[in-house]
Amino acid sequence: MLQKSVVMFIQESYEGFCIVGSGTLVFYEGSLFIMSAAHVFENLAREGAAYLHIVDKIFRLRRINVILSNKEAFGNDRDQDPLDLGAMLVPDEIIDYCSGKISFIEPDLIENNVNNKSIIFYQALGYPGEDNTKLAKNAVRREDEFLPNLLLYSGQFMDETVRVNPRFSEEYHIAINFGEKGNVNDDGKNVGVPRPEGMSGGLIQGCFDYLPHSDGLYLTCASGIIIEKDSLNRSIVGVRFDVVYEWLKMHSGQLTKS
């Protein structure tokens, strides 16, 4: 239900186009933001043109108006930042183009202490970098339309991940199990899963229902923003959405439209 809220960041370098991460559209106090992992925005700001793929169009980001979670308390090491959050104001030209074509997260759509009792499983949504970089390069070479692959991966809550890692807590983080093998699709067939690098900034959603062959059109809620893969515990970790909104409440005033 919320998959149209997930977008993709692209960077152009001397090697061509590469996918640097995902993002999630979030509405707060009258403004539309793209929430992502802070490390995604930091990578996007490196040398090379930056782009945003949203709906069916790629936009050049000539100015990235962004705020990032503070890493000074963690030795300026983003890998040690337990939030790893960033927010970008969506430019008006992109909002105008996307009107009626997107979905976005609002406070009444997030997981809370009432509706989480009805969640039957979770899904991670994002754009795997390796697969989509190949698709982008092939599209350029063949002069074809770029049709990216949004991964929608189903899993269960992994409480052990947030308990054993001292950087995480159940109050601030959510984790779901992730494995690249032994997965099935809607038809019950075994399928492989792409490497998840590039999914940072994407969405973890809680599912209240499941309808096979429906292309994700079942009731869900926004549970978290993906920040990393925990290889040791075979899981994907995100910052809970109530924490995301609290963070926006404290910091969104630092962003002004150019």
Side-chain angles (χ1 to χ4, degrees):
M1 178 177 171
L2 298 174
Q3 62 196 69
K4 289 185 178 181
S5 66
V6 182
V7 301
M8 179 172 56
F9 288 111
I10 306 171
Q11 190 172 52
E12 185 180 12
S13 68
Y14 68 92
E15 296 180 340
F17 293 97
C18 65
I19 311 307
V20 297
S22 304
T24 302
L25 296 167
V26 176
F27 190 76
Y28 175 71
E29 293 290 316
S31 295
L32 186 63
F33 298 87
I34 299 176
M35 296 298 305
S36 188
H39 73 262
V40 169
F41 286 120
E42 289 171 335
N43 290 338
L44 198 67
R46 294 175 180 170
E47 185 176 355
Y51 299 86
L52 173 70
H53 183 281
I54 185 168
V55 187
D56 55 1
K57 187 173 180 178
I58 296 175
F59 289 88
R60 171 80 179 269
L61 298 175
R62 303 190 181 279
R63 180 174 182 269
I64 303 176
N65 193 5
V66 65
I67 50 173
L68 306 176
S69 55
N70 191 342
K71 61 182 179 180
E72 290 183 5
F74 308 100
N76 283 318
D77 183 356
R78 185 63 72 191
D79 290 340
Q80 299 304 314
D81 175 13
L83 287 183
D84 192 11
L85 282 179
M88 167 188 161
L89 264 176
V90 182
D92 286 339
E93 63 165 327
I94 298 179
I95 294 176
D96 292 341
Y97 177 80
C98 296
S99 179
K101 302 175 184 177
I102 58 172
S103 59
F104 45 79
I105 312 304
E106 298 182 83
D108 60 351
L109 295 177
I110 72 172
E111 179 179 339
N112 57 49
N113 290 331
V114 176
N115 64 22
N116 65 5
K117 297 177 177 61
S118 301
I119 293 174
I120 57 176
F121 63 95
Y122 289 92
Q123 290 175 328
L125 289 76
Y127 289 95
E130 186 175 9
D131 270 20
N132 283 293
T133 295
K134 290 178 182 177
L135 290 173
K137 290 179 178 179
N138 288 339
V140 170
R141 186 176 68 253
R142 298 172 182 171
E143 298 183 351
D144 286 340
E145 181 183 3
F146 175 40
L147 300 174
N149 172 37
L150 174 70
L151 176 63
L152 192 153
Y153 179 89
S154 300
Q156 296 294 332
F157 176 60
M158 285 281 290
D159 58 340
E160 181 181 1
T161 297
V162 294
R163 282 191 291 104
V164 301
N165 192 320
R167 287 178 52 231
F168 304 138
S169 72
E170 291 183 271
E171 181 180 0
Y172 294 102
H173 298 91
I174 182 170
I176 66 172
N177 65 293
F178 181 87
E180 296 174 15
K181 298 180 180 179
N183 305 294
V184 296
N185 61 15
D186 283 357
D187 299 319
K189 296 180 180 179
N190 291 324
V191 293
V193 174
R195 292 165 56 90
E197 287 77 12
M199 292 184 67
S200 290
L203 175 68
I204 296 177
Q205 65 178 9
C207 300
F208 303 122
D209 199 357
Y210 180 64
L211 300 173
H213 321 297
S214 70
D215 195 27
L217 298 179
Y218 32 86
L219 290 176
T220 63
C221 64
S223 299
I225 293 290
I226 298 171
I227 59 170
E228 68 178 75
K229 170 189 172 183
D230 185 331
S231 299
L232 181 63
N233 294 291
R234 295 171 56 85
S235 58
I236 287 177
V237 182
V239 177
R240 291 187 177 275
F241 243 101
D242 55 348
V243 177
V244 170
Y245 268 106
E246 281 298 315
W247 187 81
L248 275 175
K249 182 178 179 180
M250 291 187 290
H251 301 291
S252 62
Q254 300 173 31
L255 288 175
T256 57
K257 292 191 176 182
S258 55

